[in-house]
């Protein structure tokens, strides 16, 4: 049975083509969410659309209340099982998607179709809660254009090119207003600043055990991006500090927060952390100033190149040399940080004794080795540490992403004397423990080292750039010591990607990563261009904040003031010249406006001009006479122009009232122009 034709009056049934159009819109909107939402939602969309189309073909009854309630309960149950509840952000977005998809079950007339489209716009906007990338924005624009074109069709417009032209014209008309609102309206807070799910952008945590960071080499997830204002640090100084870990239980290194430190030491919290836009612990001048584009994260950590010294907004400066935001980032954000690129020069309020603590009676072989090296160094801390680093650089120690597991009680002993293979955390943990064994205060620092430099000058730091090193207290200041530089100096100089790229474990969790094509010239250039465009989008559009808006408005105000002052200095000749230019532009605009009015009138405008021309010759239309009837009435007295008049009348009726294909419509319009010229050329001179 063939599908009925579209009936667009309110209360009339929608046709199969319109339902297909609504379903395609749902698919476009759902495609924006599927990378972040359960894939079974696609099955919900197909089931709802399939039922609706079978019902349209009279093979199934209309979806009753019981069926619709069952479908809603099924979607809610699926989301409950997926997320363990319905109050999280992802679950609530799943509810919105379910409502949008199941609405098709009760969509029967034009009003229902408009409701589906409006819900589609809301669901489309919610997609930016997941991601605000350039690709997401382009896909959302495509989906919005489809939904708008659907509204045009539902409003009675002709489907196809005509509806698309109107939809694109509406989008073009709204673009200038959108740009003005974006540039000048203060940001109250974007929709996607709502609380996000408790998830981290990077795998770094505030506690580590040997082997933990090695797992991050399997991922290419982006941690943050950085651009330097001025000089860029050399590879050996690209140590991005995130956490300072000072508590060791024999297995794991753990970060103790400032509030915990203050409580255990009986000191005020202000000695361990302060909110400011400049470090209260170090008054030195920043060596590097970096603008960071941070990924959303449920934790408030902020990276800094060495010790953070200043920032463009208030942050939490910790006495252990790390930086925290006042709140976690729910969307990408910009932060400018000035830093020293070195370890802190000031003491930790926790005191040296805290940084010497070790479990008792653990790792006896390591203690014996430490005493032997300390005796050989004659009690000189620097000579002792140099000997320890030299030992790491000798065989059979090796640097690997797949170290043997350490499961015993004396794990440092097992690593130093048995396995002798590990990643940065193995060597950093062992070095810090060996330093503490001879009374040298030491702590582990985790963060990132290196980063990929792009041709436009910004750096991308990813999960596989995660790194661990140590700091030791020597001569009244903390000093950075990186055992990895002894065992694998290429890792520091070349970066993780270049050094680890040949390993089977590298990017094991990212099988389709474009970084796997970095050896293919054209593919790598394409990747870099895409990432550059994405960075500029995030920095210039998503990162557009109050300070930049105020700077833009201040610049516009300054230019207007300069222009006004120059206008006040114009001579009479200059004023007359400007007036002449303005008059010419006004005349040009008026001519263009008249031309556009004529073009907008189409065939109707041409026929009205012809009727006016005929009226001057005594053959004007009669009252209530249609243009085609007028042309046919005077055709017998038009002599040689009779054929052109009759042909013009036929083409005019077809253009005005017949549902012609666009190609035939263009053909008849061109023929109208030729017939009009022929009528004027062949009209009898004396009549």
């Amino acid at each position: 049975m063939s599908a009925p034709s579209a009936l667009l009056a309110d209360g009339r049934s929608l046709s199969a083509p319109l339902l297909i159009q609504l379903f395609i819109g749902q698919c476009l909107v759902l495609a924006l969410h599927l990378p972040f939402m359960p894939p079974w939602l696609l099955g919900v969309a197909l089931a709802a659309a399939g039922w609706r189309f079978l019902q349209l073909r009279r093979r199934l009854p209309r979806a009753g209340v019981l069926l619709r309630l069952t479908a809603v309960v099924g979607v809610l149950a699926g989301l409950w099982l997926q997320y363990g509840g319905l109050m999280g952000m992802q679950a609530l977005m799943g509810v919105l998607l379910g409502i949008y998809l199941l609405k098709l079950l009760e969509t029967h007339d034009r009003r229902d179709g408009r409701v589906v489209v409006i819900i589609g716009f809301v669901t489309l906007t919610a997609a930016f809660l997941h991601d605000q990338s350039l690709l997401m924005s382009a896909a959302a624009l495509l989906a919005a254009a489809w939904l708008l074109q659907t509204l045009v069709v539902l409003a009675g417009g002709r489907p196809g090119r005509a509806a698309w032209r109107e939809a694109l014209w509406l989008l073009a008309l709204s673009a200038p207003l959108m740009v003005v609102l974006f540039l000048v309206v203060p940001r109250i807070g974007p929709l996607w600043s709502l609380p996000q799910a408790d998830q981290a952008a990077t795998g770094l945590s505030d506690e580590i055990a040997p082997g933990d960071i090695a797992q991050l080499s399997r991922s290419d997830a982006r941690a943050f991006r950085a651009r330097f204002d001025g000089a860029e640090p050399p590879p050996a100084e690209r140590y991005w500090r995130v956490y300072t870990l000072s508590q060791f239980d024999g297995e794991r290194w753990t970060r103790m927060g400032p509030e915990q430190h203050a409580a255990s030491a009986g000191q005020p919290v202000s000695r361990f952390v302060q909110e400011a836009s400049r470090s209260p612990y170090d008054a030195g001048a920043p060596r590097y100033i970096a603008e960071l584009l941070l990924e959303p994260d449920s934790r408030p950590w902020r990276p800094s190149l060495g010790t953070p010294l200043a920032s463009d907004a208030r942050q939490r400066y910790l006495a252990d040399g790390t930086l925290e935001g006042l709140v976690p980032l729910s969307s990408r954000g910009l932060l400018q940080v000035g830093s020293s690129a070195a370890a802190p020069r000031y003491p930790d309020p926790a005191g040296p004794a805290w940084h010497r603590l070790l479990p008792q009676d653990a790792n006896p072989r390591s203690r014996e080795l430490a005493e032997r090296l300390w005796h050989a160094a004659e009690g000189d801390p620097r000579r002792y540490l140099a000997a320890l680093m030299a030992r790491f650089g000798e065989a059979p120690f090796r640097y690997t992403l797949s170290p043997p597991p350490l499961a015993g009680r004396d794990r440092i002993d097992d690593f130093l004397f048995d396995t002798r293979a590990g990643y940065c955390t193995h060597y950093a943990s062992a070095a810090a423990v060996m330093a503490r064994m001879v009374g040298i205060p030491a702590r582990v620092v985790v963060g990132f080292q290196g980063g990929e430099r792009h041709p436009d000058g910004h750096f991308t730091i990813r999960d596989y750039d995660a790194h661990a090193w140590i700091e030791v207290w020597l001569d009244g200041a903390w000093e950075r010591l990186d055992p990895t530089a002894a065992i694998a100096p290429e890792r520091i100089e070349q970066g993780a990607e270049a050094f680890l790229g040949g390993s089977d474990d590298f990017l094991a969790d990212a099988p389709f990563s474009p970084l796997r094509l970095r050896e293919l010239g054209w593919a790598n250039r394409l990747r870099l261009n895409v990432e550059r465009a994405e960075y500029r989008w995030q920095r210039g559009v998503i990162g557009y904040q109050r300070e930049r808006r105020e700077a833009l408005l201040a610049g516009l105000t300054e230019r207007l003031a300069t222009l006004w002052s120059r206008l006040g200095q114009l001579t009479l000749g200059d004023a007359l010249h400007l007036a002449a230019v303005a008059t010419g532009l006004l005349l040009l605009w008026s001519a263009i406006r008249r031309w556009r009015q004529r073009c907008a009138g189409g065939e109707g405008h041409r026929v009205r001009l012809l009727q006016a021309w005929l009226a001057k010759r005594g053959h004007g239309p009669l009252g209530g006479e249609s243009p085609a009837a007028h042309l046919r009435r005077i055709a017998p007295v038009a002599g040689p122009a009779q054929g052109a008049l009759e042909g013009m009348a036929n083409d005019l009726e077809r253009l005005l009232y017949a549902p012609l294909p666009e190609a035939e419509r263009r053909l008849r319009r061109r023929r109208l122009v030729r017939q009009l010229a022929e009528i004027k050329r062949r009209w009898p001179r004396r009549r």
Side-chain angles (χ1 to χ4, degrees), residues 670-685:
R670 289 195 296 268
R671 195 159 60 192
L672 269 184
V673 175
R674 294 196 300 269
Q675 289 165 344
L676 179 61
E678 183 180 355
I679 291 169
K680 292 184 177 181
R681 184 178 69 253
R682 306 186 68 179
W683 185 264
R685 297 300 178 185

Side-chain angles (χ1 to χ4, degrees), residues 585-601 605:
L585 292 176
L586 183 61
L587 293 174
L588 178 61
W589 175 80
S590 178
I592 293 175
R593 185 167 175 269
R594 288 197 301 271
W595 175 77
R596 291 190 63 183
Q597 287 176 345
R598 291 179 181 177
C599 292
H605 181 72

Side-chain angles (χ1 to χ4, degrees), residues 305-479:
L305 196 68
T307 307
L309 300 177
S311 55
D312 61 350
R314 290 179 65 84
Q315 306 291 328
R316 280 167 51 96
Y317 287 84
L318 277 62
D320 63 7
T322 54
L323 189 66
E324 288 186 351
L326 302 183
V327 294
L329 283 175
S330 57
S331 63
R332 289 185 178 92
L334 287 171
L335 176 67
Q336 190 175 78
V337 178
S339 54
S340 66
R345 299 178 299 177
Y346 51 84
D348 192 316
W354 170 258
H355 296 93
R356 296 192 186 103
L357 292 177
L358 284 175
Q360 296 294 325
D361 302 325
N363 301 299
R365 288 185 290 174
S366 299
R367 287 185 181 275
E368 182 183 351
L369 173 62
E371 291 173 0
R372 190 166 64 249
L373 292 177
W374 182 256
H375 179 73
E378 299 178 345
D380 185 337
R382 294 189 181 277
R383 289 175 59 189
Y384 170 79
L385 293 172
L388 180 61
M389 294 300 105
R391 185 179 181 85
F392 285 148
E394 298 172 353
F397 285 100
R398 60 191 178 90
Y399 194 80
T400 175
L401 289 175
S402 303
L406 300 173
R409 174 177 176 270
D410 300 324
R411 300 192 177 193
I412 301 300
D413 279 0
D414 294 342
F415 168 65
L416 290 178
F417 296 97
D418 298 331
T419 64
R420 298 181 180 180
Y423 198 55
C424 60
T425 43
H426 292 77
Y427 291 96
S429 179
V433 169
M434 293 285 287
R436 288 190 175 192
M437 283 179 172
V438 296
I440 301 174
R443 59 193 185 185
V444 174
V445 182
V446 294
F448 302 90
Q449 198 283 324
E452 180 185 26
R453 188 186 187 281
H454 292 257
D456 65 346
H458 82 273
F459 290 80
T460 297
I461 293 84
R462 305 179 187 274
D463 270 3
Y464 58 66
D465 292 309
H467 192 54
W469 60 96
I470 72 169
E471 289 176 347
V472 292
W473 181 258
L474 295 173
D475 301 329
W478 291 101
E479 291 188 16

